[in-house]
Amino acid sequence: MIEIKNLYKKFGKLTVLEELNLTISKGGIFAILGPNGSGKTTLIKSILGMIIPNKGEIAIDGENILRKWKYRNNLNYLPQVANFPSNLSVKELIEMVKNLRPKKANSQELIDLFGLPPFMNKKLGNLSGGTKQKVNLVLTFMFDSDLIILDEPTTGLDPIALIHLKELISKEKAKGKTILVTTHIMSFVDEMADEIVFLLDGKIYFKGSVDALKKQTDQENLEHAIANLIEKQYQTATSK
Amino acid sequence: MLKILKYSIYDLLRSRWSYVYFIFYLMLSFSLFFLNSDIDKAIITLMNVIVVLTPLIGTIFGVMYYYSSKEFTELLLAQPIKRSKIFMGQYIGISLSLTLSLVLGVGIPFVIYGLFKSAAVFDFTLLLVVGAFLNFIFVALAYNIALSINNKIKGFGYAILMWLTFAVIYDAVFMGLLIHYNDYPLDKFTLIATMLNPIDLSRILILLKLDASALLGYTGAFLQSFYGTNMGLIVSLSALSMWIVLPILRMSSKLKKKDF
Amino acid sequence: MKYLFLVFLTIQFSANARTIVVCKSCSIKTIKKAVSLASDGDKILVKKGYYKETNIQVSKMIQIIGESSPTIDGMNKTESIFAVKATNFLISGFLFKNVGVSYTKEIAAIFISKSRNFTVKSNSFSNVFFAIILQDCKFGVLLSNKIKGTAKSESSSGNGFHLWKCANIRIEKNTVSGMRDGIYLEFVNKSHISNNTSLNNIRYGLHFMFSNNNEYHHNEFKQNGAGVAVMFSKFIKMHHNTFHFNWGAASYGLLLKEINDAEITDNYFEQNTIGINIDGCNRITYSNNHFIRNGWAIKFTGGCYANLFEYNNFQHNAFDLSYNSRLNDNKFEANYWSEYSGYDIDKDGIGDVPHRPVKLFSYIVNQTPETLVLLRSLFVDIINFSEKVSPVFTPDNLIDARPIMKPINQ
């Protein structure tokens, strides 16, 4: 579904992605993990077209997407920081985003799910961070698209909303969607992810299932497995 | 683009600052028109304010809007819309809403005062047209700066510096050069130098229609024969348009390479 | 006995006075013929019609009156229509047309020389080289004439009223337009010029040289190429005149050059490039004048001493005052300045802080005219303000110590 070849990106002197190759097959939940500065966000934003790579190719369903924009109609994105024009109401914002896409949306269902009806006429500037994140989720999940990219989806959510989110993600997966998630919450990865893509220093350091990772690192706990992965890297780096 | 434009106007029209700006012009014009018997004097004072303040407010609003709506812009960037359309929509939205504040704030007192039938209406219209131009020019320049500089504080500083350059520093250097090269024929230099600063150009355009057309004649036949004619008006307005077009072109080329 | 004789003579005189009628169907068909037939005291009545005549010599005490505005056509010949050298005469009611242009002699519709006690009134002039020339005349009245020219260049056009070496002349209620100078006076003394309108003349509305003890008032000078020039004269009174719309690179409302001991009061200067350009003028009192929306209200270009400016209005001029030197020997007191930014806490109508009418920018413009394009820019406001706070380039004693808060009698 997504094919990334020799992706190279640097910001100034800092190389963030170095000849990255990645293939993500259709269907399933892919957790993109890695320490801070490993290139997770750059990778995601490259797929979204927000960052323009210096070199390399990205193709979705066999079509090159660099410098194109129509493909985004079949892509939902949940940005990390939910910051909206403070003078619009929730309702207006949802209407606006719907307006921007030439496809159907099932916003009402999601609004009810996250308990947003009382906030519909409130201005976005007056909402709490958690409520904003819920609005953010509505905006992301209301469209029926084949690719869903979630950047830190759990930020600021209360436990009930978190459960709803997990259900939502599972439902989308069941429909055969491809879901890319970045997160720092390992339990979330453990519970949800089918596959882990581990980035380190702009390269894919590990790609495979959660179990494979645990097996490879000989750890029961995912957090420890990841820590182990990073540690090993440092060891090899210093031994060189 | 129209959708983005619609929503950014919608957003700005509800912003407190739009109203502060609108009410400022409203009160200024009311006091000028009603406490001042001389309508031309009122227009000159208005010109003084508009020519300096519109660029400043345009600059500040431009950078502020860009930086404060950064995250939302990112959300929009993930939608199936062309980049340039998002930014053009926002840019036109800000410029239009500022222009609206200006036109209504100054226009309402003018209409109430009953000047619509007077001869001042042409001067007044020109004043508003020039004010609109300045809004579009300086929001475009501000957007250019904001697009080039990721650091909010730095971007804000550069934007203010840009305004200060056009409003004051440019004229200081210009005057210095004129005085220093006093012995040389200066009309062509003067003409070109005024074209290169949108604030100067706007000011001269309005002055010509008010009181200074013959004053400029004093500076030499060349300047007057240029600015005094319709040709001069057309060239000046085209120069102002270039001040919108060039920043937009730079903006769109910048957008093609920009990472968000 | 002597008086009785005089009375007798007068009766005799009037009893003998005849009226000679000129018309196309009369026995006398030309004015020239009528003039040759007339004797002192006669009246020539010219009926409505079209008369092609030039060089009508008049040397008798007669009245020549046009009835219903007969036209006298000079056929563009280089001769004056009337050439008068007489006393006690009247010419009125004609329309003069087509007096030819000469580059060598002065030709006018009415050329009067060495004459006294005369009146020229209610005539119209169109397409004439000069309209009325007076040379060496005294006690003449020029009243209610209308002169309309189509002057294109200074060299091929003449003046409306051209007076040389005259005294005690009254020029009243005339209208002059489209000539070179509307009214030109040289060596003319003790004369009154009042209630005239002089507009759209290509050089000066009024041009005044070496002429002393004159008074002109209630005239209007409008849209003349270079405004009004008064030069090399003494003891002039100018009051209640209006100078407006004299726009142009070298144009002013009023140019004063080498004028001493004049009084300039109650005049109205509006929208001139320069309201008054003062060059080498001393002991002049300017009071109750209105300077409104001029480029420069007053511009000093030469050494001027002991002039007094009081109770004038300076409103909305780009520059109220321009000074060419750092010295000041003129006094400004109790004027109204629309630019005055002081206050009047004790409410006595007089500003509590002095006003400084010369701006630094006007000094800079004097040095480098091109800087004028920066008029009303923020930078200029800033430097004007700093100069106001601590004067460096402008005369620091040039202040109005008692600026009045309200404009005078508007």
Side-chain angles (χ1 to χ4, degrees):
Chain A
M1 157 141 219
I2 307 177
E3 265 180 277
I4 299 174
K5 274 187 207 154
N6 302 325
L7 199 64
Y8 181 87
K9 176 71 193 174
K10 62 179 194 179
F11 294 109
K13 282 179 187 165
L14 185 74
T15 305
V16 181
L17 297 179
E18 213 178 334
E19 304 288 327
L20 185 135
N21 288 292
L22 176 66
T23 306
I24 287 172
S25 52
K26 196 171 164 62
I29 301 172
F30 298 82
I32 298 175
L33 305 179
N36 293 332
S38 58
K40 285 176 295 184
T41 307
T42 307
L43 175 63
I44 286 180
K45 286 190 169 178
S46 297
I47 297 170
L48 286 163
M50 287 162 71
I51 280 176
I52 294 157
N54 302 100
K55 274 188 266 179
E57 278 172 31
I58 302 175
I60 295 179
D61 292 336
E63 256 183 78
N64 178 36
I65 54 111
L66 289 177
R67 293 174 199 277
K68 303 236 166 60
W69 54 275
K70 281 189 181 134
Y71 75 95
R72 289 199 286 264
N73 194 29
N74 200 14
L75 185 164
N76 297 344
Y77 170 59
L78 178 86
Q80 193 168 8
V81 186
N83 203 340
F84 307 114
S86 50
N87 295 306
L88 291 182
S89 72
V90 176
K91 197 172 172 182
E92 283 161 353
L93 177 73
I94 292 172
E95 286 306 311
M96 173 189 173
V97 175
K98 274 191 199 168
N99 231 323
L100 293 173
R101 285 206 180 191
K103 69 199 285 189
K104 269 194 170 174
N106 60 336
S107 58
Q108 196 52 49
E109 200 181 299
L110 292 163
I111 290 163
D112 294 336
L113 180 68
F114 287 109
L116 287 174
F119 300 100
M120 288 308 280
N121 290 316
K122 289 231 166 100
K123 284 195 176 177
L124 287 152
N126 302 333
L127 298 185
S128 72
T131 316
K132 273 190 197 166
Q133 183 67 358
K134 287 177 191 169
V135 175
N136 206 357
L137 287 167
V138 172
L139 292 179
T140 310
F141 284 98
M142 67 185 179
F143 296 108
D144 181 25
S145 298
D146 290 336
L147 177 60
I148 300 170
I149 297 176
L150 308 171
D151 199 354
E152 298 290 349
T154 55
T155 316
L157 289 183
D158 56 63
I160 299 172
L162 191 59
I163 291 168
H164 288 317
L165 173 65
K166 285 176 185 166
E167 284 169 7
L168 261 179
I169 294 175
S170 308
K171 224 157 85 189
E172 294 298 320
K173 180 188 164 189
K175 286 185 202 159
K177 306 287 174 67
T178 311
I179 300 157
L180 302 185
V181 194
T182 71
T183 181
H184 283 100
I185 314 295
M186 286 310 141
S187 59
F188 184 84
V189 177
D190 212 354
E191 190 182 340
M192 305 294 299
D194 298 318
E195 247 188 73
I196 289 177
V197 175
F198 191 84
L199 281 178
L200 203 63
D201 294 338
K203 285 179 199 151
I204 308 280
Y205 193 72
F206 174 84
K207 182 172 178 287
S209 67
V210 178
D211 291 334
L213 177 66
K214 286 178 182 169
K215 217 179 216 171
Q216 188 182 326
T217 55
D218 215 10
Q219 297 282 344
E220 279 303 299
N221 182 302
L222 181 63
E223 244 162 38
H224 286 116
I226 299 280
N228 187 280
L229 212 54
I230 299 171
E231 222 166 81
K232 261 193 195 163
Q233 163 68 15
Y234 284 134
Q235 277 164 6
T236 48
T238 44
S239 64
K240 271 179 195 170
Chain B
M1 188 179 87
L2 280 176
K3 286 169 189 164
I4 308 274
L5 170 64
K6 189 176 117 194
Y7 281 97
S8 64
I9 285 186
Y10 205 60
D11 179 32
L12 280 160
L13 285 188
R14 296 198 186 172
S15 139
R16 191 164 12 118
W17 294 109
S18 297
Y19 287 96
V20 170
Y21 191 48
F22 163 67
I23 286 165
F24 168 78
Y25 272 129
L26 195 68
M27 281 171 36
L28 176 76
S29 325
F30 260 115
S31 56
L32 282 176
F33 287 136
F34 289 93
L35 301 179
N36 200 326
S37 53
D38 187 343
I39 175 69
D40 288 303
K41 178 71 182 172
I43 289 186
I44 287 176
T45 310
L46 261 182
M47 178 208 85
N48 272 334
V49 175
I50 288 177
V51 156
V52 172
L53 197 69
T54 331
L56 177 64
I57 300 293
T59 305
I60 294 178
F61 257 65
V63 284
M64 263 184 13
Y65 191 86
Y66 176 86
Y67 288 120
S68 71
S69 61
K70 209 165 179 221
E71 288 85 4
F72 181 62
T73 305
E74 287 181 11
L75 187 140
L76 290 178
L77 283 166
Q79 304 298 327
I81 316 164
K82 242 175 128 171
R83 268 186 183 194
S84 53
K85 285 187 177 173
I86 295 173
F87 288 93
M88 277 309 285
Q90 290 183 348
Y91 161 64
I92 294 173
I94 304 166
S95 308
L96 272 183
S97 81
L98 287 177
T99 303
L100 202 65
S101 292
L102 171 73
V103 169
L104 290 181
V106 180
I108 289 172
F110 190 82
V111 172
I112 292 176
Y113 192 66
L115 290 165
F116 238 98
K117 285 168 193 147
S118 76
V121 73
F122 178 77
D123 297 343
F124 184 76
T125 314
L126 183 72
L127 186 67
L128 292 185
V129 168
V130 166
F133 262 111
L134 286 173
N135 274 330
F136 277 86
I137 290 168
F138 279 85
V139 174
L141 292 173
Y143 247 67
N144 265 290
I145 289 175
L147 274 173
S148 307
I149 295 166
N150 284 328
N151 184 325
K152 191 173 171 176
I153 307 287
K154 230 169 146 187
F156 206 81
Y158 278 118
I160 296 292
L161 190 67
M162 182 270 294
W163 169 79
L164 202 65
T165 304
F166 283 121
V168 182
I169 299 169
Y170 186 94
D171 289 352
V173 174
F174 184 15
M175 184 186 278
L177 288 174
L178 284 176
I179 292 172
H180 190 257
Y181 294 102
N182 202 357
D183 301 333
Y184 298 85
L186 291 168
D187 5 2
K188 284 200 177 111
F189 167 74
T190 308
L191 185 68
I192 291 165
T194 52
M195 289 281 166
L196 293 181
N197 180 346
I199 296 186
D200 278 348
L201 191 55
S202 311
R203 186 173 43 75
I204 290 169
L205 261 181
I206 301 169
L207 275 184
L208 281 175
K209 293 297 161 208
L210 291 176
D211 58 347
S213 55
L215 279 185
L216 284 179
Y218 187 79
T219 66
F222 183 76
L223 275 182
Q224 193 189 21
S225 65
F226 178 78
Y227 279 117
T229 56
N230 278 338
M231 185 62 194
L233 185 71
I234 291 165
V235 173
S236 309
L237 287 178
S238 326
L240 282 180
S241 311
M242 286 315 284
W243 270 104
I244 300 178
V245 172
L246 291 179
I248 287 179
L249 287 180
R250 187 187 171 272
M251 211 159 97
S252 70
S253 87
K254 183 85 199 159
L255 276 175
K256 284 193 181 122
K257 288 172 262 162
K258 168 99 179 154
D259 298 318
F260 288 90
Chain C
M1 187 65 207
K2 200 174 167 188
Y3 286 108
L4 202 72
F5 174 73
L6 221 135
V7 170
F8 173 74
L9 194 82
T10 319
I11 295 167
Q12 188 74 9
F13 185 82
S14 51
N16 284 345
R18 294 175 300 163
T19 297
I20 301 168
V21 179
V22 179
C23 67
K24 287 292 163 191
S25 54
C26 303
S27 56
I28 298 163
K29 292 188 171 51
T30 65
I31 302 162
K32 206 178 259 178
K33 182 80 182 294
V35 170
S36 71
L37 289 173
S39 39
D40 287 350
D42 286 354
K43 178 167 158 185
I44 296 169
L45 191 67
V46 181
K47 297 278 186 183
K48 190 173 171 66
Y50 199 89
Y51 303 87
K52 292 187 173 178
E53 296 190 47
T54 57
N55 203 16
I56 306 167
Q57 302 277 348
V58 179
S59 55
K60 298 163 184 172
M61 288 192 251
I62 51 173
Q63 300 177 45
I64 306 170
I65 298 168
E67 197 181 81
S68 313
S69 194
T71 303
I72 308 179
D73 186 340
M75 301 163 288
N76 290 316
K77 285 190 188 169
T78 52
E79 284 177 331
S80 293
I81 295 177
F82 278 110
V84 187
K85 193 186 282 185
T87 56
N88 299 356
F89 65 88
L90 165 77
I91 298 174
S92 87
F94 291 95
L95 166 60
F96 295 93
K97 259 187 168 172
N98 306 330
V99 173
V101 174
S102 165
Y103 293 94
T104 52
K105 23 177 207 170
E106 289 172 336
I107 299 165
I110 304 175
F111 192 115
I112 303 171
S113 57
K114 298 193 169 118
S115 300
R116 288 167 159 257
N117 302 343
F118 55 86
T119 302
V120 176
K121 70 169 187 183
S122 307
N123 300 292
S124 302
F125 300 82
S126 90
N127 190 30
V128 294
F129 183 38
F130 283 75
I132 299 176
I133 295 178
L134 266 59
Q135 275 182 6
D136 222 345
C137 293
K138 277 183 178 169
F139 303 105
V141 176
L142 308 174
L143 179 70
S144 303
N145 297 290
K146 285 193 172 59
I147 303 169
K148 206 169 174 184
T150 50
K152 286 186 181 67
S153 71
E154 282 191 18
S155 58
S156 66
S157 56
N159 302 323
F161 296 96
H162 183 95
L163 278 68
W164 184 79
K165 214 177 163 193
C166 295
N168 302 92
I169 307 291
R170 302 185 78 91
I171 303 178
E172 289 179 18
K173 296 178 187 162
N174 301 288
T175 304
V176 194
S177 66
M179 304 298 284
R180 180 172 63 189
D181 289 346
I183 303 170
Y184 178 91
L185 310 172
E186 195 174 348
F187 304 113
V188 175
N189 298 326
K190 290 179 243 169
S191 295
H192 273 258
I193 295 109
S194 64
N195 295 298
N196 300 291
T197 304
S198 180
L199 69 158
N200 295 320
N201 297 294
I202 57 172
R203 198 168 67 182
Y204 297 116
L206 171 71
H207 192 175
F208 213 89
M209 310 247 278
F210 311 109
S211 299
N212 302 328
N213 299 92
N214 297 296
E215 185 169 346
Y216 66 92
H217 55 91
H218 295 96
N219 300 293
E220 184 188 5
F221 303 101
K222 186 178 169 183
Q223 287 165 355
N224 294 298
V228 168
V230 180
M231 308 189 197
F232 311 105
S233 304
K234 290 175 205 156
F235 305 105
I236 309 287
K237 284 183 182 162
M238 308 178 217
H239 56 91
H240 296 97
N241 299 292
T242 302
F243 305 82
H244 51 176
F245 311 116
N246 297 294
W247 267 148
S251 187
Y252 25 74
L254 177 60
L255 168 72
L256 299 174
K257 188 170 172 61
E258 307 284 328
I259 305 290
N260 293 330
D261 305 291
E263 278 172 35
I264 298 175
T265 57
D266 298 288
N267 298 292
Y268 200 85
F269 298 88
E270 189 179 11
Q271 297 197 49
N272 305 290
T273 299
I274 299 171
I276 309 185
N277 192 329
I278 307 174
D279 185 358
C281 298
N282 307 312
R283 298 182 300 280
I284 300 180
T285 303
Y286 300 84
S287 64
N288 286 70
N289 298 294
H290 301 263
F291 299 92
I292 297 168
R293 299 174 60 202
N294 300 287
W296 285 262
I298 294 176
K299 189 166 188 192
F300 288 93
T301 50
C304 298
Y305 303 98
N307 296 292
L308 173 65
F309 295 81
E310 57 181 6
Y311 306 111
N312 299 291
N313 275 343
F314 293 89
Q315 288 172 287
H316 320 315
N317 304 294
F319 303 101
D320 286 335
L321 212 53
S322 162
Y323 234 68
N324 61 335
S325 75
R326 287 215 58 201
L327 294 170
N328 173 39
D329 184 47
N330 302 302
K331 192 171 177 191
F332 295 84
E333 194 161 271
N335 297 287
Y336 172 77
W337 313 89
S338 64
E339 296 236 323
Y340 181 57
S341 53
Y343 42 82
D344 178 23
I345 291 174
D346 52 9
K347 297 273 174 215
D348 61 354
I350 298 164
D352 298 345
V353 287
H355 178 61
R356 194 171 277 287
V358 179
K359 292 180 192 166
L360 175 58
F361 186 50
S362 84
Y363 172 84
I364 293 170
V365 169
N366 271 344
Q367 310 293 316
T368 313
E370 280 83 2
T371 54
L372 196 59
V373 295
L374 295 169
L375 180 71
R376 286 190 225 290
S377 73
L378 186 57
F379 176 66
V380 164
D381 290 346
I382 293 170
I383 60 167
N384 278 340
F385 179 76
S386 63
E387 175 75 7
K388 205 166 143 186
V389 175
S390 61
V392 178
F393 299 97
T394 55
D396 59 351
N397 65 339
L398 205 165
I399 50 169
D400 186 332
R402 303 167 65 239
I404 53 176
M405 297 304 289
K406 285 201 174 122
I408 51 151
N409 47 2
Q410 273 198 310

